[in-house]
Amino acid sequence: MKHVNLTMTTTQIRRANMTKRTLSAIWGAGLACLLLSAGSMSAEIQAHTLTVDIDNIQVQTGALMVELYANAEDYAAGHNPSASMIKPVTKTEHRLVFSDLADGQYAVKVFHDENGNHSLDTNMLGVPSEGYGFSNNAGSFGPASFKDASFSLQADAQITIHIR
């Protein structure tokens, strides 16, 4: 019968423990990189750009007030847009770009604040006296509903809004 020495020297134990720690650290770093890369890939997949072309601007003064909404309640109330922009008007058409948008239903409202008072002016009958528009060019007879103005964003997209 052969005798096997199962004892390890202190140096051998330290080396074995160091190897375990090193392998554990490498494995942990690799796992962290994998998780971070998977997270960034899913964020990249869902981050979209919406390009909004606005044309038929009659007066080259003031600013375009543009709001992007992701739900009917906020859209109807005119509060809490997902994104908004103010673009000084210098020509008859402008392009605006909204970035980092998630998949979903959206609707755009725009009005041309010609006099800089930050509100859509109306005449005595309540008819707008400044230009306005909605996504899908909805709202032929009054303000467009979210249902009529909304569109599905699942990839980068471009829409055109004609100012009335």
Side-chain angles (χ1 to χ4, degrees):
M1 181 169 197
K2 185 175 180 182
H3 178 55
V4 177
N5 184 2
L6 294 177
T7 61
M8 295 176 72
T9 66
T10 307
T11 304
Q12 289 172 326
I13 292 172
R14 283 188 191 136
R15 282 187 189 149
N17 285 338
M18 254 173 58
T19 302
K20 284 181 190 176
R21 284 193 302 265
T22 302
L23 289 174
S24 180
I26 290 170
W27 190 85
L31 180 60
C33 287
L34 180 63
L35 291 174
L36 285 173
S37 126
S40 69
M41 283 193 307
S42 70
E44 288 175 20
I45 291 171
Q46 292 184 352
H48 307 300
T49 298
L50 174 65
T51 303
V52 180
D53 290 327
I54 301 171
D55 65 13
N56 200 35
I57 300 169
Q58 300 299 310
V59 180
Q60 280 72 59
T61 62
L64 294 171
M65 313 295 270
V66 184
E67 296 178 327
L68 176 69
Y69 291 93
N71 65 65
E73 296 77 26
D74 289 340
Y75 176 89
H79 296 293
N80 303 317
S82 297
S84 64
M85 285 189 196
I86 299 174
K87 174 76 173 175
V89 174
T90 57
K91 52 190 175 180
T92 60
E93 53 190 52
H94 284 277
R95 174 170 280 181
L96 296 96
V97 178
F98 294 95
S99 301
D100 298 323
L101 300 173
D103 290 350
Q105 287 292 116
Y106 293 93
V108 177
K109 290 181 180 183
V110 59
F111 78 89
H112 181 185
D113 184 16
E114 294 175 23
N115 58 9
N117 67 354
H118 301 283
S119 64
L120 178 64
D121 295 336
T122 59
N123 65 19
M124 293 185 343
L125 299 174
V127 176
S129 58
E130 294 179 308
Y132 65 95
F134 304 93
S135 44
N136 296 333
N137 291 300
S140 297
F141 302 103
S145 67
F146 183 81
K147 179 182 175 188
D148 291 341
S150 69
F151 55 92
S152 178
L153 186 68
Q154 304 297 318
D156 291 352
Q158 180 177 353
I159 63 171
T160 300
I161 298 176
H162 307 296
I163 295 293
R164 295 188 183 97

